[in-house]
Amino acid sequence: MPLPFLTADRAFDTTDDIALPYDDRDRWRRPYRPGPWRVGAAAVLLLLASFVLFSSVIIAATATPASAATVFAFALVIVVAALRLLRMGVWVSARGLRHVAFVSTRTTAWDQVVSVRTVQQPVRWLGLPRAVQGQALVMNRRGRSAEAPAPLLTSHNADFLGRDPLAFDRAADTVEAWTDEYGRA
């Protein structure tokens, strides 16, 4: 019984050139995976939220509903913070480049992007005040001074610290490729 979906000898030279359903260029996508520090911190926050939710159930059974609602609201704040922590980073689409921080999101259309390049400079370690020598992906926008653009990605942020050093290079090259493809249009 032949199983063509499990073998490598099926015909790959088909004439249909249909885009795959998940290859939607208008959808916002992150060109890299979230790093271990970011995922670990979000997992710890979600674990904390589960304990707080469990305590709100106990408080609802033994105390006033108002105090249970307060603890439940606190648990929801923790869950939202964990989800926002996972959402942070650089996102690209055919419409532009989006930099998502913890409390803000900045979207720049491709016609406003002058250049995106990797520079060697002191960068903040895990977003803390301590600075170390590393690489940063910076974006220069039209109409802004090119003195000190804020970095989009760094080699020592929560996405790339503790990973293969080539992971930052691959992510930076992907964002630069999106800039070359859509920024010059």
Side-chain angles (χ1 to χ4, degrees), residues 130-141:
R130 178 178 178 224
V132 296
Q133 190 65 26
Q135 294 180 347
L137 184 71
V138 295
M139 173 183 63
N140 292 327
R141 291 190 288 176

Side-chain angles (χ1 to χ4, degrees), residues 34-170:
W37 286 89
R38 186 173 310 284
V39 173
V44 168
L45 282 175
L46 290 173
L47 182 65
L48 175 67
S50 70
F51 287 125
V52 174
L53 283 170
F54 184 66
S55 67
S56 71
V57 169
I58 292 173
I59 290 171
T62 60
T64 63
S67 60
T70 303
V71 175
F72 183 76
F74 180 63
L76 287 181
V77 168
I78 294 173
V79 169
V80 167
L83 293 177
R84 187 64 182 184
L85 185 67
L86 287 173
R87 185 102 171 122
M88 288 172 56
V90 174
W91 297 74
V92 292
S93 80
R95 293 176 288 199
L97 187 127
R98 180 174 286 174
H99 182 245
V100 179
F102 190 71
V103 294
S104 66
T105 300
R106 190 175 61 227
T107 303
T108 306
W110 287 119
D111 59 353
Q112 295 296 315
V113 176
V114 175
S115 68
V116 174
R117 67 187 194 293
T118 304
V119 295
Q120 192 81 14
Q121 68 180 27
V123 296
R124 292 172 44 176
W125 184 77
L126 285 178
L128 299 171
R130 178 178 178 224
V132 296
Q133 190 65 26
Q135 294 180 347
L137 184 71
V138 295
M139 173 183 63
N140 292 327
R141 291 190 288 176
R142 204 174 308 283
R144 299 281 175 115
S145 66
E147 292 175 3
L152 299 172
L153 298 173
T154 66
S155 59
H156 288 78
N157 69 3
D159 288 322
F160 300 106
L161 190 66
R163 286 175 67 181
D164 181 25
L166 296 177
F168 174 78
D169 295 333
R170 283 191 301 266

